[in-house]
Amino acid sequence: MIDEPTPPLDEGALRALVPRVLAGLVRRGEDFDAAEDALQEALLEALRVWPEHPPRDPRAWLSTVATRRLVDARRNEAARSRREEATYAEPPAGATEEGDDTLFLLFCCCAPDLPPASQVALTLRAVGGLTTREIADAFYVPEATMAQRISRAKRALQGRPLDQPGDLAVVLRVLYLVYTAGHADRVDLAGEAIRLARQLTLATEEPEARGLLALMLLNHARRRARLDSEGRIVPLDRQDRGLWDTREIAEGVRVLQSALAAERPGRYQAEAAIAALHDDAASAGETDWPQVLAWYDDLVALTDDPVRQDPAAVLGRAVAVGHVHGAAAGLRETDRLREVLGERHRWHAVRGHLHELGGDLPAAADAYAEAARRATHVAERDHLVGQAARARAAGTRRTDA
């Protein structure tokens, strides 16, 4: 009789269990750093054992093996004993606590006595499952610097009870960063961020929590149209809107309306309103740019010095200004950001779009090419190279005509 092939291990499902198991260990009183180390050992054991002996309850298996690793570490037992315990018998399924342990872990990582940068980094690592390199890329710092930051954050949590809730504003920002990372490359992270945001709206009446959920839903609805069949980026104005998820858009609009009804404005509500206006347009040409600009005005008004405190909002507003008041006006708005964003590829890409909007195709091609030179993401770089080539070709055809 031929043995049935061993089914491949679903590493995505295994990864999704990590924050839940880690939260259970921390909730039980284990030190954060020690619990994470023990869980990493349990994950390595799972990768070795599960393909041939899949557990009935994967979460309980990981929790039990991690607990044994913690006990082993405290007793300083030999490595042989640790391996034997995990290998020869599947640990009995343990009772799992009711409630969302991942949400609990999220607030633990945003503990009030941690610096904001450490709160964000630790949450992306423990809850979002990002690697140290991915987090470093998100913060534009060397990987070694980020590794030190995460280590310091974990050491700061050692030996004290994690019973004080973190700051909600930090939690919202962290969720947005987790979503953005998943939105760019890993849909599983985007889905996890949306799931956590849903849970958060049940735990708080803060309208910004609903604003963030609405923003995620309205952006996530366009995910199938963002790449073509060859994996190339498709800009918003050229996307096939028939691929957009109308149910997700409708839900996002409902959530946004409930947030706005509270009449306590915030950045996520404003960004969600802008996303809703884009989603509502049947074509790019039908976008209500005056309303988009009005919401950007509200967004930049939330900070005292938006050029330095929220340059991304000012850059987005420059695009809206270009569509409402003309490309030259939009370009003047980007000039305000030259010192802050002039080294970033997005600044040059926006200027390329505005030059193209104004009909200056040679300048658009140059700006797109400069943006491509500065881009670090391969798909974005390839897209910008294509934009530069398209603008240059269109300019040549216009000259020949």
Side-chain angles (χ1 to χ4, degrees):
M1 182 178 178
I2 300 177
D3 292 337
E4 292 291 330
T6 301
L9 179 63
D10 186 345
E11 294 190 25
L14 177 61
R15 188 171 188 169
L17 289 172
V18 171
R20 295 171 174 82
V21 175
L22 180 58
L25 296 172
V26 172
R27 187 192 290 274
R28 200 176 62 201
E30 301 289 353
D31 279 342
F32 193 102
D33 198 15
E36 189 180 43
D37 287 344
L39 181 53
Q40 290 301 316
E41 290 188 33
L43 287 170
L44 291 174
E45 196 67 25
L47 291 172
R48 189 175 71 85
V49 173
W50 286 13
E52 294 185 3
H53 303 287
R56 291 185 298 275
D57 187 337
R59 180 176 173 182
W61 193 102
L62 287 172
S63 180
T64 303
V65 173
T67 298
R68 289 177 176 175
R69 290 293 186 262
L70 287 164
V71 172
D72 289 342
R74 283 192 286 265
R75 294 176 178 174
N76 197 24
E77 291 182 353
R80 178 187 60 80
S81 174
R82 295 200 299 270
R83 288 195 300 270
E84 289 176 354
E85 278 193 315
T87 303
Y88 293 130
E90 176 187 333
T96 55
E97 297 186 38
E98 293 298 322
D100 194 327
D101 274 345
T102 310
L103 196 59
F104 164 79
L105 182 61
L106 177 63
F107 275 87
C108 287
C109 291
C110 298
D113 55 343
L114 288 178
S118 295
Q119 292 170 325
V120 172
L122 187 59
T123 303
L124 290 173
R125 166 77 173 179
V127 181
L130 273 68
T131 65
T132 303
R133 173 171 290 182
E134 288 170 326
I135 302 170
D137 288 345
F139 282 88
Y140 302 102
V141 299
E143 184 176 358
T145 300
M146 184 53 64
Q148 292 175 353
R149 186 179 299 174
I150 293 172
S151 295
R152 284 196 302 269
K154 290 194 292 186
R155 285 197 299 271
L157 295 179
Q158 284 183 345
R160 69 171 184 79
L162 296 174
D163 53 3
Q164 298 180 20
D167 183 80
L168 180 60
V170 174
V171 171
L172 293 174
R173 185 169 74 251
V174 167
L175 281 179
Y176 183 67
L177 286 172
V178 172
Y179 171 80
T180 302
H183 171 73
D185 292 309
R186 291 159 49 183
V187 176
D188 61 328
L189 276 186
E192 179 67 5
I194 290 173
R195 187 188 73 80
L196 287 170
R198 288 188 196 279
Q199 293 294 322
L200 199 57
T201 60
L202 299 176
T204 177
E205 293 296 322
E206 169 57 49
E208 274 290 80
R210 281 172 280 163
L212 177 59
L213 175 58
L215 175 61
M216 290 179 180
L217 291 168
L218 291 163
N219 282 332
H220 201 245
R222 301 195 294 260
R223 68 192 183 282
R224 288 189 298 164
R226 287 196 181 94
L227 301 176
D228 65 15
S229 59
E230 297 180 16
R232 295 172 300 197
I233 293 175
V234 181
L236 179 62
D237 59 352
R238 294 180 197 150
Q239 288 179 11
D240 179 356
R241 300 184 179 218
L243 296 176
W244 291 1
D245 189 332
T246 55
R247 287 175 142 187
E248 208 161 26
I249 291 172
E251 182 187 1
V253 169
R254 287 196 302 272
V255 174
L256 174 61
Q257 289 173 338
S258 71
L260 294 175
E263 297 185 349
R264 286 157 52 195
R267 67 169 299 105
Y268 296 118
Q269 295 169 71
E271 290 187 22
I274 293 167
L277 287 166
H278 285 297
D279 286 1
D280 185 57
S283 66
E286 297 178 55
T287 303
D288 190 343
W289 283 107
Q291 278 295 311
V292 171
L293 178 56
W295 277 108
Y296 268 118
D297 287 341
D298 289 345
L299 181 58
V300 299
L302 294 172
T303 53
D304 296 330
D305 184 5
V307 168
R308 296 194 177 278
Q309 296 174 354
D310 197 0
V314 178
L315 191 61
R317 182 180 178 276
V319 175
V321 168
H323 281 274
V324 175
H325 299 299
L331 286 165
R332 285 194 296 273
E333 290 296 313
T334 66
D335 286 337
R336 301 167 57 204
L337 295 162
R338 188 183 298 272
E339 182 181 345
V340 178
L341 294 181
E343 297 300 314
R344 301 291 179 85
H345 78 279
R346 294 192 188 282
W347 184 79
H348 293 276
V350 165
R351 287 181 65 84
H353 172 75
L354 290 168
H355 279 304
E356 188 172 4
L357 184 66
D360 189 346
L361 295 176
D366 290 343
Y368 284 136
E370 182 62 22
R373 188 179 71 82
R374 296 170 183 270
T376 57
H377 192 282
V378 174
E380 285 186 335
R381 184 172 66 243
D382 291 347
H383 168 67
L384 289 165
V385 168
Q387 292 283 81
R390 180 184 54 76
R392 192 167 289 113
T396 301
R397 287 196 300 270
R398 180 181 295 180
T399 302
D400 292 343

